[in-house]
C-alpha cells in the first residue's frame, strides 16, 4: 500500500481507539488564534503525541492537540496547533492532519492564518476572506503517486473556496459589524519573512496577503472533495511596506488583539454552516 496512505490509516486507527466522534467542520487555527478552543463545548481532546506517526508542531504559540466538540449544535474538530512546512516535515506530513480530519468525517474545512498584508488597503488587524490562492511558491502536497482512495490525479482548482460558505461568512461579518476584506492569499515556505523585492513581486502577481500555511491544506482538502473556506488575519504590513522590521512577536501580538472579533466571526459562521 502507498506509505502515505498507510500512515494516514494508522493515525485514523489511533484516533478511533479514543473516540468515535464524527465532526462536520474541521477548524485549523493560525498563530495567536489558539485560544479559539475556549468557545468549543469539548467532548474529547487528543494530544498529537498520542497519535502514532503524527507530526508534532515545534513553533512557539502552536500547542498540539485535536479538540472534538460542538460549536452551537455543529460537531467540530479543531486543530489547536498546525504543522508548517518550514519545520522540516515532508509536505505529506504537513497535510496529514487535514486528511485525517476528512477521514474522521469532516465535510467542511475552515482554515485560519496570520498573514502579512500586501494590499495597501489593509493594515494590522484586517480580516481577509480568502477568495483564491497562489500555490506555486510552496510544494504541491499531491506530488507523488496519487492516492486514488482520496481523490483524483488532476483535481480541478477553479472553485477551491466555496461560494456559499463565503456568503455566510460575509453575512455574519455584516451582522456583527466586523469589517471583512477579500483577497488572494499566497503561501511561501518561510521561515524567513519575505524580502521587500519578493513582496513587490507578489503584489504584481495579484497577491493581497502572504503567509506560510493554508494553501497546501486547501489543495489537499480540495483533492478530497471538502468544502473549504479561509480567513486570514493580517497581522503586519508585509516587508518593505513599513519602516519596521518584522518579528514573530509582533505577529502574535496583533493576532491576540484581533482574537475576540475573530472568534465571533468563526463561531457565528460555523453555527450557520
Ligand atoms: N509574511 C509571511 N508570513 C506571515 C507574515 C508575513 O509578513 N505575517 C504573518 N505571517
Amino acid at each position: 500500500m502507498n506509505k502515505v496512505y498507510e500512515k494516514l490509516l494508522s493515525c485514523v486507527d489511533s484516533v478511533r481507539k479514543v473516540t468515535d466522534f464524527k465532526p462536520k467542520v474541521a477548524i485549523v487555527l493560525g498563530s495567536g488564534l489558539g485560544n479559539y478552543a475556549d468557545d468549543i463545548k469539548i467532548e474529547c481532546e487528543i494530544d498529537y503525541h498520542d497519535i502514532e506517526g503524527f507530526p508534532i508542531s515545534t513553533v512557539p504559540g502552536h500547542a498540539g492537540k485535536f479538540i472534538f466538540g460542538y460549536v452551537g449544535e455543529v460537531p467540530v474538530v479543531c486543530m489547536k496547533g498546525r504543522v508548517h512546512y518550514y519545520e522540516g516535515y515532508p509536505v505529506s506530513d504537513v497535510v496529514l492532519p487535514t486528511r485525517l480530519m476528512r477521514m474522521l468525517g469532516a465535510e467542511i474545512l475552515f482554515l485560519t492564518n496570520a498573514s502579512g498584508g500586501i494590499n495597501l488597503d489593509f493594515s494590522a488587524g484586517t480580516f481577509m476572506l480568502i477568495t483564491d490562492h497562489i500555490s506555486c511558491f510552496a510544494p504541491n502536497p499531491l506530488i507523488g503517486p496519487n492516492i486514488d482512495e482520496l481523490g483524483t490525479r488532476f483535481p480541478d482548482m477553479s472553485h477551491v473556496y466555496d461560494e456559499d460558505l463565503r456568503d455566510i461568512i460575509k453575512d455574519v461579518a455584516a451582522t456583527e459589524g466586523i469589517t471583512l476584506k477579500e483577497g488572494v492569499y499566497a503561501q511561501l515556505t518561510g521561515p524567513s519573512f519575505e524580502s521587500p523585492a519578493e513582496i513587490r513581486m507578489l503584489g504584481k502577481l495579484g497577491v493581497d496577503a502572504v503567509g506560510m500555511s493554508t494553501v497546501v491544506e486547501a489543495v489537499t482538502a480540495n483533492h478530497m472533495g471538502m468544502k473549504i473556506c479561509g480567513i486570514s488575519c493580517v497581522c503586519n504590513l508585509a516587508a518593505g511596506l513599513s519602516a519596521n522590521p518584522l518579528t514573530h512577536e509582533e505577529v502574535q501580538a496583533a493576532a491576540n488583539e484581533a482574537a475576540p472579533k475573530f472568534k465571533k466571526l468563526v463561531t457565528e459562521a460555523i453555527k450557520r454552516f
Side-chain angles (χ1 to χ4, degrees), residues 114-116 193-194 210-212 236 238 246 251:
S115 64
F193 288 113
E194 302 71 35
V210 60
M212 305 175 192
N236 54 276
L246 304 182
V251 170

Side-chain angles (χ1 to χ4, degrees), residues 30-33 57-63 82 84 86-87 113-115 191-193 212 235-236 244-256:
S31 282
L33 303 167
S57 174
T58 59
V59 190
H62 286 260
R82 67 152 43 103
H84 296 84
Y86 60 72
E87 292 174 78
N113 63 45
S115 64
S192 41
F193 288 113
M212 305 175 192
C235 289
N236 54 276
N244 306 330
L246 304 182
T247 65
H248 182 61
E249 289 67 30
E250 173 197 3
V251 170
Q252 283 205 302
N256 286 339

Side-chain angles (χ1 to χ4, degrees), residues 2-262:
N2 178 303
K3 289 275 173 251
V4 173
Y5 190 52
E6 203 172 337
K7 186 165 173 177
L8 177 62
L9 293 182
S10 129
C11 288
V12 174
D13 265 4
S14 278
V15 173
R16 283 296 174 231
K17 280 190 186 123
V18 180
T19 180
D20 58 5
F21 192 91
K22 184 170 180 285
K24 175 177 179 193
V25 180
I27 310 163
V28 183
L29 301 174
S31 282
L33 303 167
N35 71 349
Y36 175 73
D38 301 348
D39 276 18
I40 298 176
K41 190 162 121 288
I42 298 176
E43 290 282 313
C44 170
E45 298 186 343
I46 304 182
D47 201 292
Y48 295 158
H49 288 105
D50 297 330
I51 304 173
E52 215 183 301
F54 196 91
I56 309 292
S57 174
T58 59
V59 190
H62 286 260
K65 60 182 170 184
F66 280 119
I67 297 167
F68 296 89
Y70 292 89
V71 171
E73 306 281 303
V74 181
V76 304
V77 55
C78 176
M79 275 190 84
K80 187 168 180 181
R82 67 152 43 103
V83 185
H84 296 84
Y85 184 60
Y86 60 72
E87 292 174 78
Y89 294 101
V91 67
S92 59
D93 271 358
V94 176
V95 299
L96 183 146
T98 305
R99 287 175 163 156
L100 177 55
M101 292 190 290
R102 173 66 174 146
M103 301 282 280
L104 297 175
E107 295 153 23
I108 296 174
L109 179 63
F110 201 140
L111 292 163
T112 69
N113 63 45
S115 64
I118 297 179
N119 186 323
L120 297 175
D121 227 19
F122 296 175
S123 54
T126 296
F127 295 137
M128 184 189 89
L129 184 62
I130 303 176
T131 55
D132 203 349
H133 68 223
I134 290 187
S135 74
C136 44
F137 299 105
N140 192 303
L142 306 181
I143 288 175
N146 186 51
I147 306 175
D148 296 329
E149 291 86 346
L150 303 186
T152 179
R153 172 76 292 186
F154 300 110
D156 176 54
M157 297 293 291
S158 308
H159 302 282
V160 174
Y161 300 89
D162 187 83
E163 292 245 2
D164 295 336
L165 298 181
R166 273 154 55 192
D167 283 346
I168 292 171
I169 295 169
K170 284 192 273 188
D171 267 7
V172 169
T175 311
E176 300 291 337
I178 297 171
T179 306
L180 181 64
K181 310 273 183 169
E182 295 183 85
V184 172
Y185 175 90
Q187 175 177 357
L188 270 64
T189 64
S192 41
F193 288 113
E194 302 71 35
S195 69
E198 285 162 347
I199 294 301
R200 286 195 297 276
M201 170 191 74
L202 293 171
K204 288 192 172 127
L205 296 178
V207 174
D208 296 293
V210 60
M212 305 175 192
S213 68
T214 301
V215 172
V216 291
E217 289 131 314
V219 169
T220 306
N222 178 69
H223 180 234
M224 294 180 83
M226 295 181 87
K227 286 189 171 185
I228 302 162
C229 60
I231 305 176
S232 185
C233 176
V234 175
C235 289
N236 54 276
L237 297 180
L241 300 181
S242 94
N244 306 330
L246 304 182
T247 65
H248 182 61
E249 289 67 30
E250 173 197 3
V251 170
Q252 283 205 302
N256 286 339
E257 198 174 318
K261 269 197 203 167
F262 196 83

